Amino acid sequence: MKYNSPRIKVLNKQNILKLIHDNHPISRAEISEITDLTPSSVTRLTKELINDGYIREKGSIGKNSPGRRRTLLDLNENAFVSLVFDLGVNVTTFGLGYFNGRVVLGGSFETPKQHKDFFAKAKDIYTKLKKEHKITRISFSIPGMVNMTENRILLAPNLHWQDISINNLLDVDVPILADNEANLSMMAEKYHSKDLKKIKEAVFIVIREGVGTGILLDGKIYRGPSFTAGEAGHMTVDIRSHEKCHCSNEGCWERVASINWAVENYQEKLEGRNAIERFASLKKKKDNRKIFEEFARNIAVGIINIVNVMNPQLIILGGEVQDLGEYFFNSIETEVKKRALRDATKKLKIRPTVFETVSSNLVGAAVLAIEDIIEKVR
Ligand SMILES: [Zn+2]
């Protein structure tokens, strides 16, 4: 292959844009140092990226030393806007994702039981918002398995949705993207969290009406050849259990580690229209310590298996449990360190997700759109 081939040029352009994404604002000289590209190549390629609208010049550094003044490059935040949906089993939230990773919440609605109604609602929202915003992608976080090449929901067990082609249901004039919610949460953390700049093996566990895991392996999301990797919620943790799971197996981890378990096993009936609201009521109860300690142990059982299999350096918990406080996370960590292989836990950290106001799923859907935009740079 010739080194000045168009393919190499495109890859260099994409790499520069990725670099600016991770380190903005950044000078051309720094880009040249990090990428080993000549200063003239960097000047030429960044000029193209500016003309295409991806980046812009933003101020400079070294003002007091003439001759060493360097113009900084930053992302053009508004150039690419994605409409992002966090499809929840009971409640769906949506928002706008900008090219620098920022997500602005748009609203929420009760998730329709029928998939056709859901995508009709999504189309209405898109039609309305595209009048005011330059939307270039629609990106979905799905509580289930997704074939990403075909945009097909293989199975969303808690919604009872199976084998659904999003492309057939949503007729729009922009590209559609979709992925499993835990994979997207892992992507969101990798994009925004400092500790993940160096860690290459990590697992994000989404605990909501179901339990999903997003696996980061060698710095990349591992989805498996059939897009079912990370369905740790359906690993069997009780071989004697006859409790049926939505996946049709019995004794799944999800049966004891989802928020449904906590609300169903609390001594009183909790207020709320759905599991999310009832779980929120449970968080406010003064006598919830005992149930949350038991819940922490149930969650720990699955983490022990994951740690023994995968030896990750970081486990992140999100969904509905991230605000449960130190004692909850300490209970999980104590149990995991007591029961998992000693050497597997040596470098292990367990922490809540960094995302509080906007869900990690929604932020991840925006990151998926950004990655797609960068991949399409020519
Ligand atoms: Zn299951």
Side-chain angles (χ1 to χ4, degrees):
M1 194 189 285
K2 272 163 56 184
Y3 283 105
N4 60 353
S5 73
R7 178 80 194 124
I8 297 284
K9 188 199 139 185
V10 163
L11 286 176
N12 285 337
K13 216 168 150 184
Q14 290 175 354
N15 280 337
I16 289 176
L17 192 53
K18 270 185 213 149
L19 191 68
I20 298 172
H21 247 285
D22 288 344
N23 303 282
H24 61 97
I26 186 170
S27 70
R28 289 180 178 85
E30 284 172 285
I31 294 172
S32 175
E33 274 164 33
I34 297 168
T35 58
D36 265 345
L37 290 166
T38 61
S40 64
S41 298
V42 172
T43 301
R44 190 165 39 84
L45 294 172
T46 51
K47 192 179 171 198
E48 286 188 22
L49 287 168
I50 290 171
N51 291 340
D52 296 342
Y54 295 101
I55 57 169
R56 62 192 165 88
E57 290 188 337
K58 183 201 177 189
S60 56
I61 47 166
K63 275 181 186 165
N64 298 329
S65 47
R68 285 193 51 81
R69 219 176 118 152
R70 291 170 169 185
T71 305
L72 292 171
L73 298 168
D74 206 343
L75 296 163
N76 203 356
E77 175 181 24
N78 296 313
F80 300 90
V81 183
S82 56
L83 171 58
V84 288
F85 288 90
D86 176 8
L87 166 59
V89 173
N90 290 293
V91 180
T92 294
T93 53
F94 64 93
L96 293 172
Y98 293 87
F99 195 49
N100 62 354
R102 191 168 70 96
V103 173
V104 176
L105 270 179
S108 64
F109 56 91
E110 208 172 299
T111 306
K113 296 279 168 270
Q114 299 299 323
H115 50 83
K116 281 183 184 145
D117 297 337
F118 172 79
F119 288 104
K121 176 97 182 157
K123 175 142 189 192
D124 284 348
I125 291 168
Y126 169 64
T127 311
K128 215 166 161 186
L129 288 175
K130 79 170 188 177
K131 287 176 191 152
E132 287 171 40
H133 305 275
K134 195 180 151 194
I135 294 169
T136 58
R137 300 286 187 285
I138 303 179
S139 182
F140 291 95
S141 160
I142 308 286
M145 291 157 258
V146 181
N147 177 328
M148 292 179 80
T149 42
E150 294 175 9
N151 274 341
R152 187 177 287 280
I153 300 173
L154 300 170
L155 177 68
N158 292 292
L159 281 164
H160 309 286
W161 293 4
Q162 194 168 5
D163 202 23
I164 289 160
S165 163
I166 302 176
N167 292 355
N168 287 349
L169 288 163
L170 187 64
D171 182 21
V172 287
D173 50 2
V174 291
I176 301 166
L177 304 161
D179 195 3
N180 166 271
E181 61 181 14
N183 291 347
L184 293 175
S185 289
M186 189 70 247
M187 282 169 77
E189 286 277 350
K190 188 171 158 34
Y191 187 87
H192 288 278
S193 304
K194 281 200 184 90
D195 56 355
L196 273 155
K197 296 285 173 221
K198 284 185 184 145
I199 292 174
K200 288 186 162 185
E201 270 74 35
V203 178
F204 193 112
I205 306 174
V206 176
I207 296 183
R208 295 212 292 200
E209 295 91 337
V211 176
T213 56
I215 298 171
L216 188 76
L217 209 57
D218 199 21
K220 290 185 191 123
I221 303 293
Y222 179 71
R223 296 183 174 90
S226 313
F227 301 95
T228 65
E231 285 300 327
H234 301 290
M235 67 185 164
T236 311
V237 292
D238 184 356
I239 53 168
R240 286 186 189 87
S241 168
H242 292 296
E243 251 192 279
K244 217 126 178 105
C245 177
H246 294 299
C247 74
S248 82
N249 183 27
E250 291 167 344
C252 288
W253 181 36
E254 180 170 301
R255 296 293 302 160
V256 295
S258 72
I259 59 167
N260 293 346
W261 182 89
V263 298
E264 283 161 18
N265 284 275
Y266 180 64
Q267 63 222 20
E268 290 168 35
K269 205 170 162 359
L270 292 155
E271 272 178 48
R273 286 167 300 172
N274 54 51
I276 302 260
E277 287 183 11
R278 284 192 280 276
F279 192 68
S281 314
L282 178 58
K283 282 181 192 171
K284 288 182 199 138
K285 293 279 179 188
K286 284 201 177 74
D287 61 348
N288 62 16
R289 183 95 178 205
K290 195 170 158 280
I291 190 90
F292 279 142
E293 271 173 9
E294 208 178 328
F295 191 38
R297 273 199 302 278
N298 291 355
I299 292 169
V301 167
I303 296 178
I304 290 158
N305 293 333
I306 291 168
V307 166
N308 284 348
V309 170
M310 225 195 100
N311 186 204
Q313 255 184 280
L314 179 65
I315 298 264
I316 307 164
L317 289 168
E320 300 298 323
V321 299
Q322 62 257 45
D323 55 352
L324 282 180
E326 219 171 301
Y327 85 89
F328 183 75
F329 283 84
N330 286 345
S331 307
I332 292 176
E333 196 163 327
T334 307
E335 193 72 7
V336 171
K337 296 221 157 145
K338 193 171 84 188
R339 293 175 57 182
L341 294 167
R342 199 192 59 194
D343 287 305
T345 59
K346 262 186 186 165
K347 290 182 173 175
L348 178 69
K349 267 196 178 158
I350 300 174
R351 66 158 173 84
T353 177
V354 295
F355 300 104
E356 287 167 4
T357 45
V358 180
S359 79
S360 53
N361 305 350
L362 206 58
V363 178
V367 174
L368 183 68
I370 291 169
E371 289 197 349
D372 188 61
I373 288 162
I374 295 177
E375 267 173 37
K376 302 278 155 60
V377 168
R378 289 293 176 267

